[in-house]
Amino acid sequence: MRALRCTVHGSLDDLTVGEIPEPVAGAGQVVVDVRAAAVNFADILIIQGAYQVAAPVPFTPGSEFAGRVVEVGPDVEGFAAGDAVSGSVFVGAFAQRVVVPAASLTVLPPDVDLRAAAASGVSYATAYHALTLVAELRAGETLAVLGAAGGVGLAAVQLGRLLGARVIAVASSERKRGLCRAEGADDALPYEDLKRNLAGAGGADVVLDPVGGAHAEPALRALRWGGRYVTVGFAAGEIPRIPLNLVMLKGISVRGFEFGGWARHDRDALARGRAELTRLFATGELKPHIHAVYSLEDAAGALAAVAGRSSAGKVLIVPADPDVPHGA
């Protein structure tokens, strides 16, 4: 089968597409025919060797996908060939097929849109759990979302509105800010003079930050008394240093969300959140915004669109369809 391969940590330009052996389902595993895989910023960090956990080379990048079951391993129950599923892995999704633990898969309705399903996973789960479990966002509060046109950011905009918050989106261009307004943001601001602009908009009770870098401190300074600053990633490539005197003087809480820790300490909470997200997608209350779809042969271009922040919403790779044009 064909797969995207990373043979050396570093530039996206070093990625290649080649033939590798088809996976075989072992005990507790399922092989899935990947119909669509979503690009996440963490995929880029893993390729660069800059993620918190290293992937030994060579490897196939990609962490989020949807498709159909082709093989079920021993001791696996609840899955059958042909089932529509979505799931996540550390690496391996940017390939025509992927083998995953059965526990990492969710069975979907048979008529599901698999591209939408691939775009609805990690970003929405990150935003939902960060807002509900960590930020404890309440109806009537004001939520400021940094990187609001990205995958996690746009999910947070939609979810914040559904949770009854007033949502202020922060994004880098008017095109992206327009998209945020269309997806439910009450206001949309640029990064320039962020503290003053956020304060002028009334401040925020919660800041959700998937960006980090230089914008973290101005956003924190615009929090109201007792506000909550929640970090979920560092897309800017820089982990910010927060002056703790601000935390003390403003009564602020600085919190974080990362799947691994919650999976180790409270898997039940994650399961409840996943069930609620499934319901919201099934009822049509949530719908992912897909920016572009790329073939496997142009997977490096898909990754570059996310790395260069030219995309808004989710970027997908469809490994089984070589006829998809660039960014279709």
Side-chain angles (χ1 to χ4, degrees):
M1 70 173 187
R2 296 186 69 72
L4 185 69
R5 300 295 283 167
C6 177
T7 57
V8 58
H9 290 125
S11 171
L12 299 179
D13 294 334
D14 294 326
L15 298 171
T16 59
V17 176
E19 294 285 339
I20 63 172
E22 290 205 9
V24 176
Q29 295 180 324
V30 175
V31 175
V32 178
D33 184 38
V34 179
R35 302 296 176 85
V39 178
N40 292 296
F41 199 81
D43 300 323
I44 296 160
L45 296 178
I46 293 169
I47 291 166
Q48 294 171 337
Y51 195 65
Q52 292 95 326
V53 180
V57 294
F59 67 92
T60 296
S63 57
E64 182 178 14
F65 63 91
R68 294 197 178 273
V69 172
V70 293
E71 183 186 359
V72 177
D75 304 323
V76 173
E77 297 181 354
F79 296 92
D83 283 348
V85 293
S86 63
S88 62
V89 288
F90 179 50
V91 293
F94 297 157
Q96 291 178 315
R97 291 186 174 181
V98 63
V99 60
V100 296
S104 298
L105 293 175
T106 299
V107 177
L108 304 171
D111 58 348
V112 69
D113 180 338
L114 289 171
R115 292 187 180 184
S120 305
V122 173
S123 294
Y124 281 87
T126 298
Y128 182 81
H129 292 112
L131 292 176
T132 59
L133 298 180
V134 181
E136 299 176 309
L137 182 68
R138 296 182 288 271
E141 291 189 317
T142 297
L143 165 68
V145 181
L146 307 190
V152 173
L154 204 57
V157 168
Q158 294 175 344
L159 286 162
R161 187 63 179 267
L162 280 178
L163 293 168
R166 173 175 173 253
V167 180
I168 302 174
V170 183
S172 60
S173 70
E174 185 51 45
R175 176 181 65 87
K176 292 182 177 181
R177 292 190 288 273
L179 173 62
C180 293
R181 294 186 189 98
E183 294 292 339
D186 297 281
D187 200 354
L189 302 174
Y191 284 103
E192 291 76 19
D193 210 358
L194 183 57
K195 175 182 177 293
R196 187 175 72 175
N197 286 335
L198 269 177
D205 300 291
V206 173
V207 168
L208 186 75
D209 183 7
V211 179
H215 304 304
E217 184 178 331
L220 185 143
R221 287 179 178 273
L223 278 168
R224 297 169 178 165
W225 165 260
R228 289 92 74 198
Y229 172 93
V230 180
T231 177
V232 297
F234 310 104
E238 176 188 347
I239 298 175
R241 297 179 181 273
I242 299 297
L244 288 179
N245 64 311
L246 297 177
V247 176
M248 178 180 68
L249 294 173
K250 295 172 72 70
I252 291 167
S253 297
V254 178
R255 308 176 185 179
F257 176 81
E258 187 267 334
F259 273 109
W262 279 89
R264 288 189 296 272
H265 297 287
D266 197 345
R267 294 185 69 90
D268 290 344
L270 296 182
R272 290 192 297 271
R274 185 165 58 247
E276 175 60 10
L277 283 171
T278 299
R279 185 192 70 80
L280 290 170
F281 283 114
T283 60
E285 295 173 79
L286 279 180
K287 184 177 181 181
H289 177 83
I290 298 174
H291 172 82
V293 179
Y294 290 76
S295 70
L296 182 62
E297 302 299 323
D298 198 17
L303 287 154
V306 175
R309 298 179 178 83
S310 62
S311 61
K314 296 298 291 186
V315 171
L316 300 182
I317 294 169
V318 285
D321 188 352
D323 296 324
V324 171
H326 171 91

